[in-house]
Amino acid sequence: MIREGCTRYTGKIRVTDPGLPQPVYQVFDVRETTIAKDGQILLIPEITVDVYWTDLDEDVADISYVWGCLPIPCCYPAADHQSGEFAGE
């Protein structure tokens, strides 16, 4: 579940080039945070962008899994990620 004040956009764009043997994909994950974790409404939203290039023609969630991307802590409630890598937050 994404917390209030955080919007996440994911997708991919197919890129073809005559110099490439096959098409590649630009996979993106954009997060906009308008409310901080402590409930403070932000005057200027925080925007975070991750972009990956791949030749995998898979669903965006599957590509994120292959690349080892984990749920982004800014978008998830603290209770969802209190173990493992996020325990120190």
Side-chain angles (χ1 to χ4, degrees):
M1 173 177 94
I2 294 181
R3 70 174 173 81
E4 181 182 13
C6 186
T7 306
R8 187 173 186 187
Y9 306 94
T10 58
K12 68 178 180 177
I13 300 169
R14 183 177 186 208
V15 179
T16 57
D17 185 281
L20 297 173
Q22 63 187 28
V24 293
Y25 299 88
Q26 182 182 40
V27 179
F28 57 90
D29 183 359
V30 179
R31 291 157 318 270
E32 176 188 42
T33 304
T34 57
I35 300 175
K37 289 181 184 178
D38 62 3
Q40 177 68 40
I41 296 174
L42 303 176
L43 183 60
I44 300 172
E46 293 178 5
I47 298 177
T48 307
V49 179
D50 292 322
V51 179
Y52 308 94
W53 289 89
T54 182
D55 60 355
L56 299 174
D57 185 14
E58 301 291 334
D59 185 63
V60 173
D62 294 336
I63 292 171
S64 296
Y65 176 78
V66 169
W67 282 94
C69 303
L70 298 172
I72 308 304
C74 75
C75 291
Y76 294 88
D80 286 352
H81 58 81
Q82 283 301 307
S83 62
E85 184 174 348
F86 302 119
E89 291 185 354

